Amino acid sequence: MKGQIATETTRNSTNITNMLAISFRKMLQQPVYRLLLWIAGAPFMIILWIAHRIRLVKENRHGVSSLILQELQDQGVPEQLEQKAREQLARKHAFFQTTIPQEELEKEARSLAQIRLKEILAERTHEDGLAPSADLASTYHRLLGRPEWIVLSVLLGWPLYVLMALFANPYLRYVLERLVMALGVIIGVAFLVFTILYISPMNPAASMLGETATAEQIAAFNQLHGLDQPYFIQLWHSLKGILTFDLGRSFVGNESVTTAMANKFPVTLTLTVISTLLAIIIALPIGIISATRPNSVFDYTFMFIALLGLSIPNFWQGLIFILNFSIKLSWLPATYSPGNWLSALMPIVVLGTGFTASVARMTRSSMLEIIHEDYIMTARAKGLPRNRVLWRHAVTNALIPIVTVIGLLFGGLLGGAAVTEKVFNISGIGSYIVDRQFIPDIPSIMGGVVYTAIAISIVNVIVDLLYAFIDPRIRSKIKQN
């Protein structure tokens, strides 16, 4: 019994060691993760590198490699490889009837010969009895067999093991990579917008204080809001504020930009979510019916209505709604009121009109492409019910482009439907950003830009996750990486 327990413990320990070694090797093969490994476990990685160099000296790998390389050079192998590569390139360009300068041909031939020479050198080195992969990863794997080394590595490089644990889970790694990319997009957008505002000829102090403002008053305004500081200092304060969720105080009213955006966000979010849900509920059946009955009365009618929905400007549709349903018929309030749900009907319809039309057209296009695929024909030939083939095979495979369009449109609305909010006097994100652009209220503009970038980035991350949920091929690819 004790022997079985010991054997099982040894097997589990070996499995864990192998998993750590595999993750470590994969991370070293990717430049970004290799850099993160060195940052997360700098003391441990330095000791590991020293141990690896000592191992190379003991195995005399470099000495043997040098001898083999010298032998290959004495045999004229590099020249032969270069001549062979030159002939291959010449035949390739002759076949494709393309011309290439002789200097470029020689350079490409030398590059190919060097790659092949390294491969031959690695093979000969392995044949001479050295470890097939005496690299940093193999050294790490070898040292994992020593308990004292494991303790040392955990004490000095525990952040590294946290990083490796995240890397070992493919789905979690997939999410974190996209969140990091989203953060990069947000920082990049903030940097670009701030730079444009900084070099623009607009003068916030003159706009706020009026034409009668003196030079002393303008200087005092700039000093109060930090506009007299150098470019890099202002940029650093803006980026630091983004990372700490402190976007500063607005020029108008001296209110916290973060608080103002947070107060206006629920209104925009509510209208956007309801408009999106209604658009999906209406557009998906319309698109599917049009695709399953192409060139029919239903198809022409639905697509004509969708074309109208795409063509009607939001501001015109909103004004027509107010004119008819508010002024003439007195059915609905003309402006939005948070306490009155009837006042939200017209803004929701206006926001959802173009949304519905776009999703319906994309659904029809995607479904038409899928239902003519070979596997759909095969499923029908096997005698599967039509509805099962349609919903289980066609619709699920057509969802990728549909989800993409929904995500893009939802992110755009969440970023602020400024025109619709202005027409219906909605105090949302869109109208807030537009109002502050004409001052220009730099903290508020930066807050609006950062909010929009965050909203669209989060929506894109969710769309990427939906891709993996919908398509098993994407899930398989995530596991393989």
Side-chain angles (χ1 to χ4, degrees):
M1 186 67 179
K2 293 183 179 179
Q4 292 179 354
I5 295 176
T7 303
E8 186 67 24
T9 303
T10 303
R11 186 183 298 113
N12 293 335
S13 176
T14 303
N15 292 336
I16 294 174
T17 300
N18 292 334
M19 290 175 58
L20 289 174
I22 292 172
S23 297
F24 191 79
R25 180 178 295 278
K26 287 183 177 180
M27 295 178 74
L28 285 178
Q29 293 173 352
Q30 302 183 32
V32 175
Y33 281 105
R34 182 168 61 244
L35 177 62
L36 292 176
L37 279 177
W38 280 95
I39 294 175
F44 163 70
M45 291 296 293
I46 292 174
I47 296 175
L48 176 63
W49 182 82
I50 294 173
H52 175 61
R53 302 305 298 182
I54 295 173
R55 177 193 176 191
L56 291 180
V57 172
K58 288 182 178 180
E59 293 183 350
N60 199 20
R61 181 178 179 85
H62 292 300
V64 174
S65 299
S66 300
L67 293 175
I68 295 175
L69 179 60
Q70 184 63 44
E71 181 182 349
L72 293 174
Q73 290 175 346
D74 294 340
Q75 296 173 357
V77 173
E79 291 78 8
Q80 296 173 10
L81 293 175
E82 187 172 340
Q83 179 62 27
K84 185 177 180 179
R86 190 182 299 110
E87 294 174 356
Q88 290 176 347
L89 290 173
R91 287 196 298 269
K92 184 185 75 171
H93 290 291
F95 177 80
F96 289 105
Q97 297 181 355
T98 58
T99 57
I100 182 173
Q102 187 64 28
E103 295 181 358
E104 187 174 345
L105 179 66
E106 294 291 336
K107 182 179 179 180
E108 190 172 354
R110 285 193 297 270
S111 177
L112 293 175
Q114 288 292 333
I115 294 174
R116 181 54 186 157
L117 182 63
K118 291 180 180 179
E119 294 175 354
I120 295 175
L121 181 61
E123 294 172 0
R124 291 283 300 274
T125 303
H126 177 37
E127 291 172 359
D128 283 355
L130 289 180
S133 56
D135 55 7
L136 197 62
S138 63
T139 303
Y140 172 76
H141 192 185
R142 173 182 294 186
L143 293 174
L144 281 179
R146 302 179 181 179
E148 67 276 7
W149 172 259
I150 296 177
V151 174
L152 179 65
S153 63
V154 172
L155 291 177
L156 296 180
W158 64 266
L160 179 142
Y161 283 101
V162 174
L163 182 63
M164 290 175 63
L166 298 176
F167 182 86
N169 189 320
Y171 295 111
L172 185 58
R173 182 174 76 245
Y174 181 78
V175 175
L176 291 178
E177 286 177 352
R178 269 131 190 89
L179 290 176
V180 171
M181 287 190 288
L183 179 61
V185 170
I186 294 169
I187 298 298
V189 169
F191 166 76
L192 182 61
V193 172
F194 177 84
T195 303
I196 293 175
L197 290 174
Y198 183 84
I199 64 178
S200 65
M202 294 184 295
N203 190 341
S207 300
M208 289 288 298
L209 300 177
E211 298 180 357
T212 60
T214 63
E216 290 78 8
Q217 290 174 330
I218 293 177
F221 181 91
N222 291 334
Q223 183 178 9
L224 176 64
H225 296 284
L227 299 178
D228 58 338
Q229 296 179 349
Y231 166 78
F232 289 105
I233 294 180
Q234 293 188 48
L235 176 63
W236 164 247
H237 288 318
S238 297
L239 296 180
K240 184 177 68 173
I242 294 172
L243 297 175
T244 58
F245 299 99
D246 182 11
L247 300 175
R249 307 192 72 82
S250 63
F251 295 164
V252 179
N254 195 31
E255 62 178 347
S256 172
V257 174
T258 304
T259 303
M261 300 287 289
N263 292 334
K264 298 179 184 300
F265 174 71
V267 177
T268 301
L269 178 64
T270 302
L271 297 178
T272 300
V273 170
I274 297 176
S275 300
T276 302
L277 292 177
L278 290 177
I280 293 173
I281 293 173
I282 297 172
L284 288 182
I286 288 177
I288 293 173
I289 294 173
S290 297
T292 54
R293 300 180 181 180
N295 302 322
S296 65
V297 176
F298 293 100
D299 184 23
Y300 286 126
T301 302
F302 288 151
M303 289 304 102
F304 178 73
I305 295 174
L307 182 61
L308 286 180
L310 288 174
S311 304
I312 297 175
N314 284 0
F315 72 90
W316 183 83
Q317 184 183 6
L319 292 176
I320 293 298
F321 277 12
I322 293 175
L323 178 64
N324 287 279
F325 297 108
S326 298
I327 297 177
K328 290 186 177 181
L329 300 176
S330 300
W331 287 355
L332 299 172
T335 59
Y336 175 77
S337 175
N340 186 357
W341 65 270
L342 289 175
S343 64
L345 292 180
M346 289 193 294
I348 289 172
V349 173
V350 171
L351 289 175
T353 299
F355 202 131
T356 304
S358 298
V359 175
R361 290 174 66 86
M362 178 54 68
T363 303
R364 178 183 182 274
S365 176
S366 182
M367 284 292 297
L368 280 175
E369 182 179 352
I370 293 297
I371 60 179
H372 292 100
E373 292 289 340
D374 293 339
Y375 63 88
I376 298 295
M377 301 298 182
T378 303
R380 289 180 177 177
K382 288 182 177 180
L384 292 178
R386 184 173 181 273
N387 289 336
R388 183 178 179 183
V389 173
L390 178 66
W391 291 102
R392 185 168 182 178
H393 297 283
V395 174
T396 53
N397 287 285
L399 280 178
I400 292 293
I402 299 172
V403 169
T404 303
V405 170
I406 292 175
L408 292 174
L409 294 175
F410 180 79
L413 292 182
L414 200 61
V419 175
T420 304
E421 290 182 358
K422 277 295 183 183
V423 169
F424 292 100
N425 193 28
I426 301 172
S427 182
I429 295 292
S431 60
Y432 176 81
I433 297 174
V434 171
D435 291 340
R436 302 308 172 100
Q437 284 179 346
F438 295 102
I439 298 177
D441 194 336
I442 294 178
S444 299
I445 295 174
M446 287 296 298
V449 168
V450 170
Y451 160 79
T452 304
I454 292 175
I456 295 177
S457 297
I458 291 176
V459 170
N460 287 337
V461 171
I462 295 174
V463 168
D464 288 341
L465 296 178
L466 289 176
Y467 287 166
F469 177 77
I470 295 171
D471 195 338
R473 293 170 298 180
I474 297 179
R475 293 197 297 270
S476 177
K477 187 177 180 180
I478 292 173
K479 290 180 180 179
Q480 293 174 1
N481 290 337

